[in-house]
Amino acid sequence: MIKSAILFVLAGLAEIGGGYLVWLCLREKKHVFVGLAGGIILVVYGVIPTFQDYPNFGRVYAAYGGIFIILSLLWGWGIDKKKPDHYDWIGSAISLIGAAIIIWTPR
């Protein structure tokens, strides 16, 4: 369970971080190498979930979605200085509960 959670967090940081670098390159006119670094990180993001022990691609990505939502809000708070409101936290909690049900419910 700990390995799974760590991999979800690493995947989220890679996806958000890589996407953010591409955003900076294309939207804020940062150097092209910033965008290329973001693209490489996004490729790494695509590899990280393959280390999950779960055999079903769809369930892994569905569960990852809940983690991604939380990490996105935290990224926006820390990097963009946009503090999440109560509704953001409620929605995040619901998505995280859904992710846990999807991935950790015995079948």
Side-chain angles (χ1 to χ4, degrees):
M1 219 157 116
I2 292 172
K3 175 187 172 188
S4 175
I6 289 170
L7 287 171
F8 281 136
V9 169
L10 288 176
L13 292 175
E15 183 180 9
I16 296 165
Y20 184 69
L21 292 177
V22 171
W23 174 279
L24 290 176
C25 176
L26 297 176
R27 297 283 299 261
E28 298 187 19
K29 308 298 184 219
K30 300 293 181 184
H31 199 278
V32 69
F33 290 122
V34 172
L36 290 173
I40 291 167
I41 293 168
L42 287 169
V43 169
V44 171
Y45 149 70
V47 172
I48 293 170
T50 67
F51 296 113
Q52 290 284 5
D53 292 330
Y54 308 104
N56 185 284
F57 175 84
R59 283 194 183 124
V60 167
Y61 271 78
Y64 163 69
I67 306 300
F68 178 80
I69 291 169
I70 298 273
L71 290 174
S72 296
L73 287 175
L74 293 173
W75 184 280
W77 192 5
I79 302 299
D80 291 331
K81 307 299 182 218
K82 301 293 182 194
K83 184 177 180 183
D85 63 23
H86 292 53
Y87 297 110
D88 293 326
W89 291 122
I90 292 168
S92 302
I94 292 168
S95 69
L96 198 57
I97 291 166
I101 291 169
I102 290 168
I103 204 71
W104 290 322
T105 299
R107 295 198 161 62

